[in-house]
């Protein structure tokens, strides 16, 4: 069964390739959704997959790429949006 997770990651997670590494990991695992930087310095992810794949994806999110320092990770189950792929979104500056 496919689930949707809303994930917020805080720490040194911007400017270290976190979004690109997240996309690469999602593509490799078959996770669908989005990743974007937030104004407060966190990274927001929406991820959809089965429980096994989401667990593997969350393992990556707890660590991030080399140079990242994840201080906290929060995830909550949300409404399924049926994403077709995984995209890096630009932060809305307005």
């Amino acid at each position: 069964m496919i689930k949707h997770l809303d994930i917020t990651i805080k720490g040194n997670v911007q400017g270290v390739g976190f979004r690109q590494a997240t996309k690469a990991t999602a593509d490799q695992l078959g996770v669908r959704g989005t990743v974007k930087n937030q104004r407060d310095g966190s990274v927001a992810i929406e991820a959809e997959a089965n429980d096994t794949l989401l667990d593997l994806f969350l393992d990556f999110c707890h660590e991030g790429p080399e140079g990242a320092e994840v201080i906290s990770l929060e995830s909550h189950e949300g409404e399924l949006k049926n994403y077709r792929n995984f995209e890096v979104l630009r932060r809305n500056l307005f």
Side-chain angles (χ1 to χ4, degrees):
M1 181 170 173
I2 304 297
K3 283 191 342 186
H4 175 100
L5 290 182
D6 293 309
I7 305 164
T8 302
I9 302 169
K10 295 182 179 179
N12 181 29
V13 293
Q14 289 190 14
V16 294
F18 204 101
R19 291 177 301 158
Q20 290 74 21
T22 300
K23 177 176 176 24
T25 301
D27 288 346
Q28 187 175 41
L29 293 172
V31 174
R32 298 173 181 170
T34 64
V35 59
K36 67 180 176 178
N37 286 339
Q38 301 288 81
R39 288 180 189 227
D40 66 0
S42 66
V43 170
I45 301 170
E46 293 188 27
E48 296 183 348
N50 65 40
D51 284 332
T52 302
L53 295 176
L54 287 173
D55 286 344
L56 293 169
F57 185 69
L58 284 171
D59 287 345
F60 162 79
C61 291
H62 278 286
E63 297 296 322
E66 186 176 331
E69 182 184 352
V70 175
I71 293 173
S72 70
L73 182 149
E74 294 179 18
S75 71
H76 307 283
E77 196 166 338
E79 185 177 330
L80 196 62
K81 296 184 179 177
N82 295 306
Y83 287 108
R84 293 179 175 230
N85 55 23
F86 198 92
E87 294 184 55
V88 175
L89 302 178
R90 296 186 83 112
R91 172 175 58 177
N92 185 354
L93 299 175
F94 302 103

